[in-house]
Amino acid sequence: MTATDRFVQLDGGRIHYLEAGEGAPLLLLHTGGASAQEFEDVIPLLAERHRVIAWDMPGHGDSDRLWRQRGIEHYADDLRAFLDALAIDRAILVGVSIGGYIAMDVARRWPDRVERAVLAEAPLRSPAWYAENWPAFEAMCAIPTTSFEAAARRFRALTPAQHERWNIDRNKAGSWTMVSIAWSVRDFDAAAALAALRVPLTVAMGATGPTAHELDRWRSIQPAATYRLLDGCGHFPMIDDPAAFAEAVETR
């Protein structure tokens, strides 16, 4: 099923999104520096049962540019306004990495708008971790173009087409926006947001990704959640194994 390009105007600017399928609304929230295209192989699988909507978060893809620093709470405000603009009262939120943080914040502040949340590869890093690792983290964000060899280390089996899409999206976002995203992530207390969630929750982690070692901590904070460890997947399970990712999204 082919997704359709659409735009909607919010107070803060125009948002681009992809839409396919019918049924209960399901929103896909991509990683920092990417776009809705990150889910191109997942959308047809989920659209068999859902009205699937994948946005380009502000400053990314074909959405309007950012002109100031925005925290996770501001992106959550944007997502709520996005839901309002599409007349969606309740939705399933599926967020990866920073997309997971945005889903967390919406679910924490407006649980009545969230049917359930699926959080994938959203690290629970401490301020000390960011202080120690900031130079490398900032450099990874500030230099958008990545060689095939460097990018391939982050995927199960990166193709030339996926590598091209990776660099297109990162350059469309640009260095300033990507560093801004890094600060948004650094300033967000993900563990506190996770502890406050009271919506049905599924947590998906790539078995070889950066969050798998945090599994016990996640379980201690949200013992009632459903957990899925995706074999052979890293930080981008929707690209490494779209079918396994789609199955995890449907798991309750």
Side-chain angles (χ1 to χ4, degrees):
M1 182 179 297
T2 302
T4 301
D5 289 279
R6 302 190 190 281
F7 291 89
V8 65
Q9 184 70 39
L10 305 183
D11 287 343
R14 193 172 75 154
I15 297 293
H16 169 260
Y17 63 100
L18 299 176
E19 182 172 358
E22 298 180 353
L26 185 152
L27 269 69
L28 297 170
L29 313 174
H30 61 77
T31 66
S35 74
Q37 296 293 335
E38 198 170 52
F39 297 105
E40 64 178 344
D41 293 327
V42 171
I43 291 173
L45 303 176
L46 295 174
E48 295 176 2
R49 297 182 56 187
H50 301 279
R51 177 190 177 191
V52 179
I53 297 166
W55 79 341
D56 287 346
M57 66 184 289
H60 290 67
D62 293 310
S63 292
D64 281 355
R65 304 301 89 203
L66 292 183
W67 297 105
R68 60 186 174 86
Q69 173 65 30
R70 296 176 68 74
I72 297 298
E73 68 275 13
H74 299 117
Y75 290 110
D77 290 341
D78 292 331
L79 186 59
R80 184 190 184 192
F82 181 70
L83 291 171
D84 289 344
L86 299 185
I88 296 174
D89 293 327
R90 285 172 66 84
I92 301 166
L93 300 185
V94 181
V96 184
S97 193
I98 188 174
Y101 294 158
I102 296 168
M104 278 189 205
D105 202 51
V106 171
R108 172 175 59 175
R109 293 162 64 194
W110 303 291
D112 59 310
R113 305 297 298 271
V114 181
E115 183 71 27
R116 57 188 178 90
V118 181
L119 310 178
E121 285 296 304
L124 303 180
R125 291 169 176 156
S126 67
W129 186 93
Y130 282 107
E132 181 179 353
N133 293 278
W134 186 249
F137 193 58
E138 181 184 43
M140 179 181 68
C141 297
I143 304 173
T145 300
T146 309
S147 70
F148 184 88
E149 292 74 14
R153 290 195 288 269
R154 307 188 68 189
F155 295 87
R156 176 189 287 182
L158 187 68
T159 68
Q162 289 167 341
H163 176 241
E164 181 181 50
R165 183 76 252 171
W166 166 273
N167 279 326
I168 288 171
D169 284 341
R170 287 170 65 88
N171 279 275
K172 285 171 83 170
S175 177
W176 187 91
T177 293
M178 291 189 60
V179 174
S180 171
I181 286 291
W183 276 108
S184 300
V185 169
R186 180 174 180 170
D187 291 340
F188 184 62
D189 190 341
L194 178 65
L197 296 188
R198 298 294 181 267
V199 302
L201 182 62
T202 297
V203 178
M205 296 176 174
T208 63
T211 65
H213 73 281
E214 298 176 340
L215 180 57
D216 289 343
R217 187 179 180 201
W218 278 77
R219 283 178 166 153
S220 70
I221 296 173
Q222 281 287 350
T226 297
Y227 290 88
R228 293 293 306 273
L229 197 62
L230 305 181
D231 290 340
C233 294
H235 192 55
F236 305 96
M238 62 288 198
I239 295 174
D240 286 339
D241 195 334
F245 182 81
E247 183 182 358
V249 168
E250 298 286 20
T251 301
R252 305 184 184 214

